[in-house]
Amino acid sequence: MDKLKKFLTYLFLSVAAVVSIFPFLWMISSATNKSVDVTKGKLMPGAFLGENLKKVLDTIDIGPALWNSAKISVTTTIIALLIASLAGYGFEIFRSKAKDRIFSVLLLSMMIPFAAIMVPLYRMFGGISKIIPAIGIDTMTAVILPSVTTAFLIFFFRQNTKMFPKDMLEAGRIDGLNELGIFFRIYVPTMKTTYAAAAIITFMSSWNNYLWPLVVLQSPEKRTIPLLISNLGSSYAPDYGVIMLVILIATLPTAIVFFLMQKHFVAGMTGSVK
Amino acid sequence: MKEARAGMGIKARTNAVSWAFIALAVVMICIFYFYPMIQALLMSFQSGTGTNLSYVGTENYTRLFKDATFIAALKNTFIYLIVQVPIMIVLAMFISVLLNDRNLKFKGFFRTAIFLPAVTSLVAYSVIFKYLFGNEGLINTMLLKLHLIADPILWISDPFWAKITIIVAITWRWTGYNMIFYLSALQNIDNSIYEAARIDGASAFRQFTQITMPLLRPIILFTSITSTIGTLQLFDEVMNITKGGPGNATTTLSQYIYNLSFKYTPDFGYAATVSYAVVILIVIFSFLQFKLAGDKNG
């Protein structure tokens, strides 16, 4: 009975693991095969990685798309961390009834579906375009601004600030630091792991963001990676080997971040629920 | 006296500084969440093409009930909700209970492997699934080779199978993500509770229903609310796997809002009305789930 149970456990977990990994393996192996072989159902890696790579570089603007995505994701992450950690710290350290009430109102914004505010945001940036085109429709700023402040991240920093040793604040005040000095010189260095976790979640969601860039970015040279992949995916005569290689390249940054910082990533996800 | 006044001065200054810490975040959320929400509410009572909008009262709201596409999108969303969310939650819970066994080998491998889908971009995995489930895709090729089916299944172009494909895809992407929450909750449960239950002669099944389940209730609530909100906002997958088709067989409310605003002749007013329908659904479902969880606690 126990042996059977053990066997079934391993069997079930193995099936789940294989199903989870299989699309990745297929993507990697297809990136090394000719399109014809992929359609024939070839599973083993082939010898066409070099040729596919040449085609990707020659026919697809993957460089600019990677650069656009990198610029947007890095900028979003830096600004998002700054705004959210200042606020999370402020709400927790300088607690008051009024601030608590504001905090609960901010949390309500987590219930707002993006599709509901997409059109008003589009019109807002349309209006901005007429005055300052540099931050209006079809600009990096328009992609970044609406997604840079999330109640979730503020909540995340507030939750983690609860674990921040408060006597360090007093020590800082006695040393004559002002409040901002305490924040930057004491809080930020102490909370490195919280920042790391927050950076990972923010970077990943920004790197993978699709709907808003799809709405607000119009010229092809401004396209981000998800827009490029989506475009390739809907082509009528897809070159599977080439597309799989593009997806592989696009997935690499997030995969590397994940494998290097798996612990922080999981901490970032679950930290807010505890 | 002098000292006290100085103290107050510092306090008042700290108070102002304390508001400065949260000011930027509050302003940003107001501009980019609450203000657009109010705009959308106003727009939902307007109609017209593009930016030429005029007030039409509740006309848009009555139009919802006669709109076949809206009803189809609503129906699809409910099917995804009722079928996909429970399957995924049960699966995530089941896997995490298996993984929580202290004597399990290769635990790290299983956990990482099952979590891996959660780090992929929605667009990237959708395109991969679209190809895997194509008429001549790998899934059909394998099923045909194994003689499990005689003819290829139209995973993308048949109204029934297209829904199944979407459900399979979302389940693949999010089960590992939800599993992590259960795992971290299970790790916090004190093992001595189970030992005591074992001494009392409680079966493994009873241990699960009487101890594990009640302790996991907050996580069940959390994962079902986030999954419900996620499903009500489903966009990337349908857009990139089926384009909402065949017909409107897989279309979702978010995709319909997108189409109304940016694909068809733009009708921003009506799109805003549809989006308020989504908001109302999210509020109702979150309330129901809280209520359900609350009742069980009582």
Side-chain angles (χ1 to χ4, degrees), chain A residues 37-95:
Chain A
D37 292 332
V38 178
T39 43
K40 278 184 193 152
K42 188 178 177 205
L43 289 176
M44 288 301 127
F48 286 85
L49 180 63
E51 201 167 301
N52 285 339
L53 187 62
K54 199 174 167 315
K55 268 195 221 163
V56 168
L57 296 174
D58 287 348
T59 59
I60 295 164
D61 286 328
I62 190 166
L66 280 170
W67 177 234
N68 292 337
S69 278
K71 269 192 298 191
I72 290 174
S73 308
V74 171
T75 318
T76 303
T77 307
I78 294 170
I79 303 175
L81 257 56
L82 183 70
I83 295 178
S85 64
L86 277 170
Y89 176 89
F91 278 117
E92 186 58 32
I93 300 293
F94 309 111
R95 258 186 108 160

Side-chain angles (χ1 to χ4, degrees), chain B residues 5-174:
Chain B
R5 210 183 299 150
M8 268 168 68
I10 287 174
K11 215 174 175 191
R13 207 166 57 225
T14 325
N15 199 27
V17 170
S18 79
W19 284 95
F21 271 89
I22 63 168
L24 190 54
V26 173
V27 169
M28 289 291 280
I29 299 242
C30 288
I31 296 178
F32 293 111
Y33 287 88
F34 294 131
Y35 173 71
M37 259 330 258
I38 297 165
Q39 282 287 309
L41 183 65
L42 297 177
M43 276 162 66
S44 75
F45 295 102
Q46 300 171 15
S47 190
T49 51
T51 43
N52 293 320
L53 295 174
S54 55
Y55 279 93
V56 290
T58 54
E59 204 176 85
N60 286 337
Y61 286 90
T62 44
R63 181 176 159 192
L64 279 180
F65 297 98
K66 292 175 288 188
D67 181 350
T69 313
F70 172 74
I71 292 166
L74 194 64
K75 215 178 89 191
N76 294 336
T77 308
F78 275 115
I79 292 173
Y80 298 142
L81 263 183
I82 294 163
V83 179
Q84 196 268 332
V85 175
I87 292 179
M88 178 181 64
I89 303 264
V90 169
L91 212 58
M93 204 176 353
F94 186 61
I95 293 172
S96 61
V97 169
L98 292 184
L99 281 179
N100 198 42
D101 184 345
R102 270 185 303 172
N103 301 318
L104 188 80
K105 284 178 196 125
F106 314 116
K107 197 188 288 183
F109 165 74
F110 285 131
R111 193 183 48 215
T112 307
I114 296 169
F115 180 69
L116 206 53
V119 303
T120 56
S121 117
L122 299 184
V123 174
Y125 101 86
S126 297
V127 172
I128 293 177
F129 266 70
K130 180 183 167 183
Y131 292 153
L132 278 174
F133 284 83
N135 290 348
E136 286 161 12
L138 190 65
I139 301 292
N140 271 335
T141 312
M142 290 207 302
L143 290 175
L144 285 168
K145 266 187 196 156
L146 295 169
H147 296 289
L148 288 171
I149 51 169
D151 299 300
I153 294 174
L154 302 177
W155 292 105
I156 308 284
S157 49
D158 176 81
F160 171 77
W161 289 109
K163 283 192 192 76
I164 301 287
T165 306
I166 298 286
I167 289 171
V168 170
I170 309 170
T171 310
W172 179 83
R173 172 64 169 75
W174 295 100

